[in-house]
Amino acid sequence: MGITKTQIFTEKQNDLAQFFKVLGHPARVAILQYISSQNACICNDLVDEIGLAQATISQHLKELKSIGLLTGEVEGKSMCYCINVERWSEIQSQLNQFFNTTKSKCC
Amino acid sequence: MGITKTQIFTEKQNDLAQFFKVLGHPARVAILQYISSQNACICNDLVDEIGLAQATISQHLKELKSIGLLTGEVEGKSMCYCINVERWSEIQSQLNQFFNTTKSKCC
DNA sequence: ATTTAATATCGTAATATTGCAATATTAAAA
DNA sequence: TTTTAATATTGCAATATTACGATATTAAAT
């Protein structure tokens, strides 16, 4: 199929999975790491830095924006992409909650 | 394409993305939560509990095993699936390291 | 006003993922 | 040894994702 049966899961489960899914691509991991390594907000240095076409980078940025991890502001004719620190912590804490509450008692 | 250009990323980035990716499906989140909610190791109650076909559940279990999150032991004619607690903590700590080292200084 | 540079969007091809029915496989039970 | 129950695997259809070239779009620079 390719389609996911989201109806049979809770909203929390779907949200959590969505966070994981967005982070589940090396380009998006690399984009976040690169942005965080710069003192200033970096835009399409990403195209040079990471070896993917501009259209592809733009697509990945869009997905990162979709869960609120990145914000993009127009800066002249460029874009200034930044990590949304609040959202970042929020998601980190949700993932940790998942890890901490999901513990096996068996075996 | 559908194919991911793993060659252009570091092994760490690929590994990290792979962990995220495996957790990036609500069925797999639900499976982990259900296993952890039981005192004993549960096998194909999962098929009843989660509303997916047996073949589909089996496939998801396989992916969770692929990153070492689950171990499966034969128990008579059933399987006993358990969370690998060591691996669990290891992955949690890697994800946290990613979150903690990736911080924005801009905006 | 034109050009230029940066980014987004569209269309498309290739591949991956999800899900299931049907069919193995395996081990206990009869 | 045949049956039964639990799980894995295979094959397939439908949809999603990844990647890119081509084409908008937008704002500064000329």
Side-chain angles (χ1 to χ4, degrees):
Chain A
M1 294 211 162
I3 200 169
T4 293
K5 286 192 159 179
T6 51
Q7 337 88 277
I8 66 175
F9 303 104
T10 67
E11 200 180 333
K12 269 206 171 184
Q13 288 170 333
N14 285 315
D15 284 353
L16 199 54
Q18 186 59 28
F19 299 151
F20 280 126
K21 190 176 179 184
V22 168
L23 293 169
H25 192 291
R28 296 194 280 271
V29 167
I31 285 171
L32 291 169
Q33 288 176 331
Y34 184 70
I35 291 183
S36 99
S37 76
Q38 301 300 112
N39 290 325
C41 302
I42 293 306
C43 320
N44 233 30
D45 305 319
L46 287 168
V47 176
D48 299 327
E49 188 62 21
I50 300 174
L52 292 171
Q54 183 266 321
T56 310
I57 295 287
S58 190
Q59 226 172 217
H60 284 305
L61 288 169
K62 193 177 174 185
E63 292 198 60
L64 289 166
K65 267 192 292 183
S66 79
I67 58 166
L69 266 186
L70 287 187
T71 56
E73 278 181 43
V74 180
E75 182 109 349
K77 59 186 167 185
S78 311
M79 282 293 289
C80 172
Y81 275 107
C82 301
I83 291 174
N84 180 342
V85 183
E86 261 182 51
R87 185 69 171 144
W88 187 259
S89 302
E90 195 181 315
I91 288 179
Q92 180 177 15
S93 112
Q94 283 195 45
L95 300 199
N96 270 312
Q97 205 180 335
F98 168 72
F99 272 92
N100 292 333
T101 56
T102 307
K103 278 183 179 163
S104 189
K105 295 172 193 161
C106 76
C107 299
Chain B
M1 295 216 161
I3 199 166
T4 294
K5 285 191 160 180
T6 51
Q7 337 88 273
I8 67 177
F9 303 103
T10 67
E11 200 181 332
K12 269 206 173 184
Q13 288 170 333
N14 285 317
D15 284 353
L16 198 55
Q18 186 59 29
F19 298 152
F20 281 126
K21 190 175 177 184
V22 169
L23 293 169
H25 192 291
R28 296 193 282 269
V29 167
I31 286 172
L32 291 169
Q33 288 176 331
Y34 184 70
I35 290 183
S36 99
S37 77
Q38 302 300 113
N39 290 325
C41 300
I42 295 306
C43 322
N44 233 28
D45 304 319
L46 287 168
V47 176
D48 299 326
E49 188 62 22
I50 301 175
L52 291 171
Q54 183 268 320
T56 310
I57 295 286
S58 189
Q59 229 172 215
H60 284 305
L61 288 168
K62 194 178 175 184
E63 293 198 58
L64 289 166
K65 266 192 292 184
S66 78
I67 58 166
L69 267 186
L70 288 187
T71 56
E73 277 179 44
V74 179
E75 183 108 349
K77 57 185 165 183
S78 311
M79 282 293 288
C80 172
Y81 276 107
C82 301
I83 291 175
N84 180 342
V85 182
E86 263 182 50
R87 184 71 171 144
W88 187 259
S89 301
E90 196 182 314
I91 288 179
Q92 179 176 18
S93 110
Q94 283 196 46
L95 301 198
N96 271 311
Q97 204 178 336
F98 167 73
F99 271 93
N100 292 332
T101 57
T102 306
K103 278 184 178 163
S104 190
K105 294 170 193 162
C106 76
C107 300

